[in-house]
Amino acid sequence: MIPLKKNIDLNLLTCLDALLTEGSVTRAAERLNMSQPGMSHALSRLRALTGDALFVRSGNDFIPTERAQALAGKVRVGLAAMEEIFSEEGPFDPANTAGKLTVAAVDSVGVLLIPLLAQALAKEAPMVAMHVRLPDPEQLREWLAEGECDIALGFFPDVNPELHGGDLFGQELSIISGPSHPLRGQPMDFQQYADSTHVIFGSPFSERSPMEGAIDQALKERGIERRHSVQVSSMLLVPYVIAASPHVAALPTWLARQYADMLSLDVRPMPMTHPPILIRMLWHDRTHRTGLHRWVRQLVRSLTRELARTEGAISVAHNIEGTTFPGGM
């Protein structure tokens, strides 16, 4: 273990956070009800401890250095840990809790769970605001650790061992095609599927989603490579492209059936054996013990079980209360 430097005043973390937030010694001092000389002295001590200028002048601007920018997320995590350590533990009261919840959810999970989660929050925790965004699987650990999101919901085959989490439910896949596909209304075997042209989806962060990657890998093991004729950034665009083209695409079965009547789509089972797409909920130790986030995670599990009972759209994972990788619920 690397020894800590002696005589470190933990209040300096609060000063650094204020400086990073305000971008000004004067405003940072006002934020913490300190004198400007006092904040300037704190900055001098921070520079000595870190061995970096942290902030430099550029005209009238007060710009953080690369080192200061790199420390920003760690500072937030450290302050959250301090608040947790020294705050009084008491029963969590969602009705009287104000806060913000950021959820990174893939499209299919968003369509299923986010409306129900919004409804439950409005009823039980009306002062909690929810922000929903698409996840970037490559940056998920950093996002969860640094506060870019609080929980992530999606198909994440490779989970960083630093993260907590567990399986929520499995989604079977089906193949969809539109009125102009040559096999309209007919069965489709594996070779016909492989010979078709395909629509795939990714996200703003990647051309290919983890689900599409899993399908491509399964086909590669059979010596087959799909012809990717159209690539879109959202799963929810796929049915509309399919309806207007001669291509095929894979979607979660429950979602494919929702669009089938509206867009006159054929829905067929996958012409090859493929395990269900396993949806997971992930979070970081930063939020592991906080009352709001523990309550929300339990709410997500309850909503998942209710969906499985009432809609039959998904199959709840057996270890919904457990974990499948290092971390823990």
Side-chain angles (χ1 to χ4, degrees):
M1 180 180 294
I2 300 174
L4 293 174
K5 294 180 180 179
K6 294 181 179 180
N7 302 320
I8 293 180
D9 182 356
L10 293 181
N11 286 324
L12 292 175
L13 276 182
T14 305
C15 293
L16 180 54
D17 181 59
L19 288 164
L20 287 164
T21 301
E22 299 295 340
S24 160
V25 171
T26 301
R27 291 195 300 271
E30 292 173 351
R31 181 186 182 94
L32 299 182
N33 293 318
M34 292 174 60
S35 66
Q36 184 170 335
M39 182 60 71
S40 296
H41 179 62
L43 177 56
S44 296
R45 294 174 63 194
L46 285 164
R47 285 168 167 165
L49 285 168
T50 61
D52 187 87
L54 296 177
F55 298 89
V56 294
R57 289 282 182 189
S58 178
N60 294 325
D61 296 326
F62 192 56
I63 299 174
T65 64
E66 289 186 7
R67 170 71 167 154
Q69 293 174 19
L71 289 173
K74 296 176 182 179
V75 169
R76 289 195 295 267
V77 171
L79 288 174
M82 288 169 58
E83 183 176 351
E84 180 182 336
I85 290 169
F86 297 113
S87 63
E88 293 185 6
E89 187 70 26
F92 177 70
D93 179 10
N96 293 304
T97 297
K100 177 183 175 183
L101 171 72
T102 302
V103 181
V106 299
D107 283 334
S108 62
V109 180
V111 170
L112 267 180
L113 281 174
I114 295 302
L116 298 177
L117 185 56
Q119 182 184 49
L121 288 174
K123 180 180 179 181
E124 301 182 47
M127 293 187 290
V128 174
M130 180 169 62
H131 176 204
V132 182
R133 63 188 306 184
L134 289 171
D136 179 358
E138 297 298 321
Q139 300 295 322
L140 208 52
R141 189 206 69 80
E142 289 78 9
W143 279 20
L144 290 165
E146 296 175 7
E148 292 293 323
C149 63
D150 300 310
I151 62 173
L153 304 170
F155 176 51
F156 307 119
D158 302 312
V159 179
N160 188 291
E162 293 182 24
L163 298 179
H164 296 271
D167 302 335
L168 284 178
F169 58 87
Q171 298 185 123
E172 298 289 343
L173 297 182
S174 289
I175 300 302
I176 60 172
S177 61
S180 60
H181 191 277
L183 295 177
R184 175 66 168 171
Q186 302 175 43
M188 180 183 294
D189 61 27
F190 175 77
Q191 193 58 52
Q192 290 167 327
Y193 168 71
D195 290 341
S196 294
T197 51
H198 296 253
V199 177
I200 67 165
F201 70 92
S203 75
F205 313 104
S206 174
E207 292 184 357
R208 187 178 63 170
S209 71
M211 188 194 93
E212 299 285 8
I215 295 172
D216 281 342
Q217 181 59 37
L219 289 170
K220 184 178 180 181
E221 292 171 359
R222 297 168 178 246
I224 302 294
E225 183 175 350
R226 289 190 294 175
R227 290 173 55 198
H228 297 171
S229 291
V230 180
Q231 183 267 324
V232 296
S233 62
S234 170
M235 179 188 287
L236 302 183
L237 285 175
V238 172
Y240 294 95
V241 177
I242 291 296
S245 69
H247 310 309
V248 301
L251 282 184
T253 299
W254 68 267
L255 187 60
R257 290 172 179 164
Q258 281 196 3
Y259 281 104
D261 291 339
M262 181 174 65
L263 298 176
S264 190
L265 304 180
D266 286 336
V267 178
R268 302 178 179 89
M270 287 286 288
M272 60 181 181
T273 302
H274 192 280
I277 297 299
L278 192 58
I279 300 301
R280 288 169 164 167
M281 176 166 59
L282 306 179
W283 64 95
H284 190 266
D285 201 59
R286 176 181 64 85
T287 59
H288 185 55
R289 298 169 186 83
T290 56
L292 171 61
H293 297 100
R294 294 180 66 174
W295 178 79
V296 168
R297 294 194 300 266
Q298 187 55 48
L299 179 59
V300 169
R301 298 183 196 109
S302 298
L303 293 173
T304 299
R305 284 191 292 265
E306 186 62 25
L307 273 172
R309 281 195 298 267
T310 59
E311 301 294 333
I314 56 175
S315 55
V316 175
H318 292 300
N319 64 334
I320 189 171
E321 304 293 352
T323 183
T324 54
F325 41 86
M329 300 299 279

